[in-house]
Amino acid sequence: MRDILPGLQARCAAGTPFALATVVAVHGSAPRDPGAVMAVDGAGSVLGSVSGGCVEGDVYEVAREALAGAGPRVVSYGISDDEAFGVGLTCGGTIEVLVRAYVSQAELADLAALLDLIAADLPVAEATVLSGAAETGARLVVRPTSSPGTLGTLGTEGLDAAVTDDARGMLAQGLTGIQQYGSHGQRRMQEVAVFVRTYAPPPRMIVFGAIDHAAATARIGSFLGYRVTVCDARPAFATRERFPTADEVVRAWPHDYLEATEVDARTVICVLTHDPKFDVPLLVAALRTPAAYIGVMGSRRTHSDRLARLREAGVDEAALARLASPVGLDLGARTPEETAVSIAAEIIQHRWGGTGRPLGELTGAIHRDR
């Protein structure tokens, strides 16, 4: 959704009707995850993608039907389905796509309210009925417990209450998926299928050290969807001109900044300073955080010396094992840009548990944990 957010907001603001196709389930190997969207307006313009090209032609036609008055519906495409094979889903998986139109000014205004929350990086969840004893396409927008109210309804007070509770739990964990309920929200029943799409604020990437490698890492971090901060204590180096793609550039001692800023379990930290007077206090602070990844630049000799200094500072072996150093995967990188790709590859590997080996050397499903 975020990748086509400006286009969707522009259509809502102009009152331009469009249909939105959303991947709600993936079984086996498929190009896009649940939550991927494609929009089609009355002029035939297309934004986004639901399959990387495999089934978009057919989804486009279903979207045009929705704009012409057909109600919301879920369509399924898979290798075992002759129709789906005909439109090109040859990658071995099955996807289910919800297609619904936003035509009236009220519908567009309701969607615009959700898009504004997403654009403001505020946590929000959207629950949509897919099938069963409730109206397909019914929507409920849910904010965290600390935020007042919900928007919309799924049909019954009990169903709204149960979905609101579950959506808030999924939002806290950054989860998206289908939940099953009774028609009045009863648990352990399967009368109503509800797709819950959560929109958490982007995860953070904090890059320490305002060097050329940091500029390349900041660029690829932004490309991957991180909210990127570059921090360095040297005013001459920590400038907006040197890091135009970063969300913020901070001039501060690295460990002071890290101790004062928010770090959660989705945050990745890249320490590219390789200077002991910065690295040691910074890494002592970093290893106290729940950060998902802590990568540290430097040669093997530098890393060995760094470990000795951290042990002297009282850091135990379990904490030291969290450090990814020398940083990055072995890609043979030479330039700052290539090194940034290596770092990004290691971050992705840590996030999803990949092997880091060429896919051609492996067997089995490519997407193991959909």
Side-chain angles (χ1 to χ4, degrees), residues 119-279:
D121 287 338
L122 296 173
V124 63
E126 179 187 29
T128 308
V129 172
L130 300 181
S131 62
E135 181 183 354
T136 300
R139 297 171 61 248
L140 181 70
V141 175
V142 180
R143 298 292 310 280
T145 305
S146 59
S147 303
T150 58
L151 174 67
T153 180
L154 302 182
T156 68
E157 183 176 343
L159 183 58
D160 286 350
V163 172
T164 296
D165 185 51
D166 289 347
R168 284 172 172 161
M170 294 173 69
L171 183 58
Q173 300 177 66
L175 300 177
T176 286
I178 296 175
Q179 303 292 316
Q180 301 282 346
Y181 303 91
S183 60
H184 294 278
Q186 304 96 317
R187 300 304 204 284
R188 301 184 181 179
M189 297 184 69
Q190 298 188 18
E191 296 177 344
V192 182
V194 178
F195 177 65
V196 180
R197 173 70 165 103
T198 63
Y199 300 91
R204 297 192 67 191
M205 172 184 282
I206 308 177
V207 181
F208 292 99
I211 62 175
D212 49 359
H213 288 79
T217 301
R219 288 196 297 273
I220 202 166
S222 297
F223 177 75
L224 291 176
Y226 286 93
R227 180 176 178 270
V228 178
T229 298
V230 176
C231 176
D232 195 295
R234 302 167 296 177
F237 292 89
T239 65
R240 171 55 62 186
E241 290 76 16
R242 286 170 54 82
F243 300 96
T245 65
D247 294 280
E248 58 181 350
V249 180
V250 176
R251 299 171 183 173
W253 280 86
H255 70 282
D256 288 338
Y257 174 74
L258 188 61
E259 290 173 346
T261 196
E262 181 179 355
V263 175
D264 62 21
R266 299 190 302 152
T267 301
V268 299
I269 296 173
C270 300
V271 179
L272 309 183
T273 52
H274 54 81
D275 184 333
K277 69 175 177 291
F278 292 113
D279 286 2

Side-chain angles (χ1 to χ4, degrees), residues 82-100:
D82 291 339
E83 178 186 8
F85 186 78
V87 296
L89 188 63
T90 58
C91 47
T94 300
I95 64 172
E96 296 178 32
V97 181
L98 170 68
V99 182
R100 63 160 299 164

Side-chain angles (χ1 to χ4, degrees), residues 15 54 80 102 160 166 172 218 250 284 327 340:
C54 291
S80 60
Y102 295 86
D160 286 350
D166 289 347
V250 176
V284 169
V327 68

Side-chain angles (χ1 to χ4, degrees), residues 295-315:
V296 195
M297 179 172 280
S299 67
R300 298 188 191 281
R301 178 180 297 178
T302 297
H303 180 57
S304 179
D305 176 70
R306 183 187 296 125
L307 290 178
R309 292 172 183 268
L310 289 169
R311 290 186 181 103
E312 290 175 3
V315 179

